[in-house]
Amino acid sequence: MSNEVDEIETPASEVPTEQKDSFRSFITTLASFSGDLSSLTCPSFLLSSTSRTLISNVRLLLLPLKYDSQYWGDHPELFASISKGETSEDRLLNATRWFISTLYGSYSSRSTTAGMERKPYNPILGEQYFAHWTGDDELGITVLQAEQVSHHPPIMGFHLENKKAGVILEGHCGQKSRFALPAGIDVSQTGHAILTLPQFNETYLITLPTLNVRGVITGKPSVELSGSTYIVSSAGLMTTIHYSTRGFFSGEKHSFKAVLRPLEGGDAFYTAHGLWSGMSTYTSADNPEETFLFFDSETDKGVAPEIKPMKDMGPLESHRLWAKVTQAINTKDYATASKEKTHIEEAQRVLARARKERGETQAHALKVFVLVDENNDVTGRAFVALREMLIEAVGTKGLKEDETKPHWRLRT
């Protein structure tokens, strides 16, 4: 096994001369487009050389956005530490810290390292990504499995688990996007994650933030988070996380404030605030005068996952599937990148027509996950109960789900 391979060399942040006409056409289309933006063809220089299912955006699908699967596991020690909390309150605090740690990799790391966000490849139906993080004897192994479970609309299913720590995360995510004049694109993330701690008989519902992609017109896009997300614990507790795009809380962009309190109301027992892309601190109701470090993305870097060598990958695994496109982008051969990308997408259209002729649905193409009825599934029933708790606390605004409300689980 090896660490993450074929890391992408990012093209220059300015629009290449030969791509300017394509970029102008893309912007013109965006300005008048309504509907699923993932169906649009993006200029090759804006591609991220990574597939959304692979690494870009698990965590999760449309721009450089999404909880693309890998980022759920960026900090395996924090993921495993969730179950180490002695009380329900402490376990919720640990879950909140881990969740905040995933945001930098998901939504800001490419802007920091490359100067701009780029659009990942549109993952094909059934595309797969497998990775793991090997820890010491105490930490154990964290294993990630992800699959593109729907192409229309684009949805990714994921399963992250550390058996030694007794922590399981599963769920799905997608996006609904619209062009937001005059600055960029607003993305409403659909789906959710369910965190399970079997040893405590606790489950947690995690909702996903709204994304604001700015700088599209200038050719140098970046991502901000806005609105609120929630982590609801079956122990009757909830974290409310508020995001600010303009530094409402701290005077800086990428700010957040997390308040942990009982679902039925009352005072917060923990409060955290700071930058989800940088450092944050928290205080306890027991000692409100003392401030503790919550998370710092500068000092606590994400851990690269271990993946199979390319030669051992299956044809639907992201690195192998998009290898020729990635190579072309890294050499700035955008014409070849577009050609190879079109070849993959055309092959998928042929397969889609064949499924339709056989009377099959997208679910028939899946190998890793299976479509389930939430009422006949243990995690699905947990979701239903937690969803009702969330709606009772904050209303229907707290959760964004696809109209069909599908659920996928790892095949056993």
Side-chain angles (χ1 to χ4, degrees):
M1 305 294 288
S2 62
N3 283 339
E4 188 73 51
V5 295
D6 295 334
E7 190 61 34
I8 303 310
E9 301 170 14
T10 308
S13 61
E14 296 182 355
V15 180
T17 301
E18 67 275 15
Q19 291 277 310
K20 286 186 176 179
D21 288 343
S22 176
F23 180 67
R24 292 192 190 99
S25 177
F26 179 63
I27 293 302
T28 300
T29 301
L30 273 180
S32 59
F33 188 85
S34 62
D36 180 10
L37 288 175
S38 66
S39 64
L40 293 179
T41 299
C42 180
S44 298
F45 85 96
L46 279 177
L47 292 176
S48 165
S49 296
T50 57
S51 169
R52 289 181 309 208
T53 296
L54 154 67
I55 159 180
S56 95
N57 147 18
V58 106
R59 273 177 229 86
L60 131 192
L61 294 166
L62 165 61
L63 286 154
L65 321 167
K66 174 178 177 66
Y67 278 84
D68 279 326
S69 51
Q70 177 185 307
Y71 298 119
W72 288 116
D74 258 357
H75 295 84
E77 77 290 347
L78 293 181
F79 182 69
S81 74
I82 297 174
S83 61
K84 293 182 179 179
E86 295 184 358
T87 66
S88 297
E89 289 80 4
D90 288 342
R91 290 190 288 275
L92 180 60
L93 178 69
N94 291 348
T96 305
R97 179 185 290 109
W98 160 77
F99 178 76
I100 292 297
S101 79
T102 70
L103 300 180
Y104 173 75
S106 296
Y107 307 120
S108 182
S109 60
R110 292 171 303 285
S111 290
T112 302
T113 58
M116 66 181 290
E117 287 284 0
R118 297 183 183 278
K119 183 184 185 296
Y121 312 143
N122 289 333
I124 67 171
L125 179 65
E127 183 175 336
Q128 304 160 0
Y129 181 63
F130 306 108
H132 69 270
W133 293 259
T134 303
D136 56 24
D137 291 341
E138 180 180 358
L139 180 60
I141 300 175
T142 302
V143 179
L144 168 67
Q145 300 179 72
E147 184 177 30
Q148 191 71 13
V149 295
S150 173
H151 187 66
H152 294 296
I155 300 173
M156 180 191 62
F158 54 88
H159 183 102
L160 185 71
E161 181 172 3
N162 185 311
K163 290 185 177 180
K164 188 175 185 64
V167 185
I168 304 167
L169 181 81
E170 51 192 335
H172 64 273
C173 52
Q175 282 106 16
K176 294 181 179 180
S177 312
R178 65 181 181 84
F179 189 65
L181 291 172
I185 298 168
D186 288 343
V187 182
S188 176
Q189 295 199 98
T190 61
H192 61 270
I194 295 291
L195 179 72
T196 303
L197 306 180
Q199 67 199 90
F200 298 105
N201 194 29
E202 288 180 352
T203 52
Y204 302 74
L205 169 62
I206 302 172
T207 67
L208 309 177
T210 295
L211 315 178
N212 308 116
V213 186
R214 299 298 178 248
V216 175
I217 299 295
T218 64
K220 197 173 182 180
S222 62
V223 175
E224 299 175 358
L225 305 184
S226 63
S228 301
T229 61
Y230 306 91
I231 304 177
V232 181
S233 166
S234 59
L237 310 172
M238 181 173 71
T239 296
T240 301
I241 306 173
H242 300 289
Y243 304 93
S244 171
T245 60
R246 297 298 176 187
F248 179 78
F249 298 111
S250 69
E252 299 179 78
K253 293 199 302 185
H254 299 171
S255 301
F256 80 93
K257 182 177 182 180
V259 179
L260 289 69
R261 58 164 47 101
L263 263 171
E264 66 270 16
D267 296 333
F269 45 86
Y270 288 118
T271 302
H273 65 88
L275 303 180
W276 55 262
S277 60
M279 188 181 76
S280 54
T281 59
Y282 77 98
T283 57
S284 167
D286 294 335
N287 188 7
E289 302 302 320
E290 188 171 2
T291 299
F292 303 92
L293 177 66
F294 191 57
F295 179 72
D296 187 349
S297 66
E298 292 296 319
T299 59
D300 193 351
K301 301 292 186 182
V303 179
E306 300 171 57
I307 62 173
K308 292 179 290 189
M310 184 86 73
K311 63 182 179 63
D312 296 332
M313 292 182 180
L316 290 176
E317 292 189 53
S318 295
H319 278 105
R320 178 176 170 182
L321 175 67
W322 297 98
K324 292 182 179 179
V325 183
T326 297
Q327 182 180 11
I329 291 178
N330 282 342
T331 58
K332 297 180 174 62
D333 184 355
Y334 302 119
T336 297
S338 295
K339 178 181 177 180
E340 294 293 342
K341 177 173 175 286
T342 298
H343 176 73
I344 292 173
E345 293 170 345
E346 284 298 327
Q348 289 302 302
R349 294 186 182 99
V350 172
L351 291 175
R353 287 194 293 269
R355 281 195 304 274
K356 184 176 181 180
E357 291 173 358
R358 295 192 299 266
E360 296 179 351
T361 66
Q362 292 185 113
H364 287 90
L366 305 182
K367 305 298 183 184
V368 183
F369 286 78
V370 61
L371 183 64
V372 300
D373 183 335
E374 66 181 22
N375 295 315
N376 296 322
D377 174 72
V378 173
T379 307
R381 290 193 293 271
F383 163 72
V384 171
L386 292 167
R387 178 185 61 193
E388 294 308 310
M389 293 165 67
L390 175 61
I391 291 175
E392 185 176 349
V394 303
T396 57
K397 66 178 182 180
L399 186 64
K400 304 179 184 69
E401 292 291 319
D402 185 81
E403 286 83 355
T404 57
K405 299 179 175 60
H407 292 267
W408 293 266
R409 295 289 175 260
L410 194 66
R411 288 184 183 273
T412 56

